[in-house]
Amino acid sequence: MTSATPLTPVEQARYSRQMLLPQVGPEGQQRLRDARVLVVGSGGLGAPVSLYLAAAGVGHITLLDNDVVELSNLQRQIIFDTASVGQPKAVAAAQRLRALNPEITVVAAVETLTVDNAESWITSADLVLDCCDNFPTRYLINDFCHHLGTPWLFAALHQFRGHFALFSADTACFRCLYPRTPVTEGNCSLAGVMGTVPGLLGLWQANEAIKHLLRLPDSQPGHLWNCDALRSTMTAIRLVADPTCWCGQKHPDPRALHTHSLESWDREELELTWHEWQVLATDKALLLDVRSEQEHRAANAGGEWLAWPEITARLTQLGGKSPVGLYCQRGQRSLALARELRAQGFRQVFSIRGGLESHH
Ligand SMILES: [Zn+2]
């Protein structure tokens, strides 16, 4: 339902370029004006996301962040300027959005999302944007959004790579994909980040959000997009719901998940030692080195090397009948890939713990 109030002449002038699009028009613009979005995090992702949503006329934007602007943020958190250093991020970002577009309502909350406040924040949103930098918050968003039937847009990045996905009540949930925090998680302060990467990811997130709010038919939930800004590539995989996941229960209670450690959700053995792999491996088993071709040539523990796009084709060929072991240098890349492949439905895939470095 869009509001009956017609757009004012000022709104018509402000949004005229996008309203010319047949996918938007006055009705779409009214939809955007009526929309309520919750942006969790006002950092590298939250900056471009909230700027573009505000500029496009998304009518109600709530920013949730309890952090303070630091000088080292300015390289990528383009919503702030040098004078913002020392201010609460949510407050400084809200000021910038109000200056950009006084036609919309912006609420700034200097707090973090917790198990106690998640329901009240998420209930009042039509769409939640995950612009945070940590897995506990992301699991909270997933669990309460799933519980309340609120769609949410996930995005995360690591150095030059990033992912985004739209999760809704009809798709797999985030726990289907990541039953526990991936070991490859590293935040920008430790791993480093190129400022353009959260910019690119944040723009995709804003673009997906606008498409979703406009109810465009080509909005594509249930796909995980992988972006590599170093190689300039983008690929998508379809997310498959895990029938054993929490989200498949009849009356799942999100609070119960956050009273236990996340480790209790690691229901299924994803990692094997080399010894366990040797016990499991038959003559039909497939061992894959998932490092670069160059690394494989320099030293390897046997098995085949395949380019990443060829891996899924090879696994499809095996038809799930034979175990597949993945190894890399230390077991982190192979674990991340094994998780992605499991999410695609390849249940026979295992990551070898410790990788080449633990092979004797
Ligand atoms: Zn799930």
Side-chain angles (χ1 to χ4, degrees):
M1 287 283 285
T2 52
S3 65
T5 326
L7 297 167
T8 64
V10 171
E11 287 173 318
Q12 288 187 20
R14 179 180 282 271
Y15 308 122
S16 58
R17 295 302 183 274
Q18 69 192 36
M19 281 170 63
L20 284 171
L21 297 167
Q23 292 89 342
V24 185
E27 199 184 321
Q29 195 60 54
Q30 280 174 308
R31 274 204 174 126
L32 294 181
R33 186 178 62 182
D34 291 344
R36 298 175 170 273
V37 300
L38 173 67
V39 182
V40 182
S42 291
L45 290 166
V49 162
S50 52
L51 279 171
Y52 273 88
L53 294 185
V58 171
H60 307 267
I61 300 176
T62 300
L63 307 175
L64 213 63
D65 197 308
N66 81 334
D67 210 359
V68 168
V69 182
E70 290 176 32
L71 192 60
S72 64
N73 297 153
L74 302 183
Q75 163 257 12
R76 63 196 177 284
Q77 301 178 16
I78 49 145
I79 199 166
F80 308 120
D81 52 40
T82 309
S84 316
V85 173
Q87 289 180 26
K89 285 186 180 179
V91 173
Q95 265 170 12
R96 173 79 181 93
L97 298 186
R98 290 184 197 116
L100 170 65
N101 191 351
E103 306 297 323
I104 61 166
T105 308
V106 184
V107 173
V110 185
E111 52 184 282
T112 44
L113 198 72
T114 66
V115 69
D116 299 317
N117 69 18
E119 181 150 1
S120 70
W121 282 120
I122 293 172
T123 302
S124 49
D126 301 316
L127 178 69
V128 178
L129 287 119
D130 158 31
C131 299
C132 74
D133 60 358
N134 65 85
F135 272 75
T137 307
R138 204 161 276 144
Y139 283 120
L140 265 178
I141 296 173
N142 176 69
D143 302 339
F144 279 89
C145 281
H146 183 80
H147 174 63
L148 297 164
T150 309
W152 68 284
L153 263 158
F154 152 70
L157 53 114
H158 184 75
Q159 297 182 333
F160 281 94
R161 295 185 63 193
H163 314 280
F164 67 90
L166 174 63
F167 290 96
S168 73
D170 311 320
T171 64
C173 87
F174 187 71
R175 286 185 189 273
C176 294
L177 181 64
Y178 293 110
R180 66 169 179 180
T181 305
V183 289
T184 46
E185 188 200 4
N187 65 28
C188 298
S189 58
L190 298 173
V193 64
M194 186 56 72
T196 50
V197 177
L200 289 165
L201 265 295
L203 269 183
W204 273 112
Q205 234 183 335
N207 189 59
E208 293 301 304
I210 290 169
K211 277 164 42 188
H212 176 79
L213 296 172
L214 289 171
R215 295 179 214 165
L216 294 186
D218 52 345
S219 179
Q220 214 177 35
H223 281 74
L224 176 76
W225 289 90
N226 301 304
C227 313
D228 185 332
L230 205 52
R231 295 180 180 178
S232 306
T233 57
M234 204 162 126
T235 53
I237 57 166
R238 205 166 74 78
L239 298 175
V240 179
D242 178 346
T244 63
C245 178
W246 162 85
C247 66
Q249 291 173 13
K250 267 212 173 102
H251 301 289
D253 175 11
R255 279 177 197 80
L257 294 175
H258 296 272
T259 53
H260 305 294
S261 82
L262 294 171
E263 298 306 310
S264 60
W265 287 91
D266 184 30
R267 311 161 313 266
E268 222 177 327
E269 206 52 70
L270 195 61
E271 286 183 291
L272 299 176
T273 61
W274 280 107
H275 176 71
E276 288 167 331
W277 168 252
Q278 274 144 19
V279 171
L280 183 77
T282 60
D283 55 352
K284 282 187 187 145
L286 174 66
L287 180 65
L288 288 176
D289 182 353
V290 300
R291 299 170 306 153
S292 71
E293 194 172 13
Q294 211 175 10
E295 288 174 293
H296 181 71
R297 277 209 216 101
N300 65 69
E304 293 178 37
W305 180 88
L306 290 175
W308 278 39
E310 290 165 32
I311 293 177
T312 45
R314 187 82 159 81
L315 297 194
T316 308
Q317 221 175 34
L318 286 177
K321 292 190 194 86
S322 315
V324 178
L326 310 179
Y327 76 90
C328 61
Q329 193 67 25
R330 294 189 191 86
Q332 302 200 341
R333 279 176 280 176
S334 58
L335 182 61
L337 182 62
R339 258 199 198 107
E340 283 186 18
L341 292 168
R342 289 271 183 112
Q344 289 181 56
F346 298 108
R347 313 303 302 175
Q348 80 278 27
V349 175
F350 300 91
S351 167
I352 296 170
R353 192 177 292 135
L356 181 66
E357 290 190 5
S358 67
H359 186 256
H360 304 289

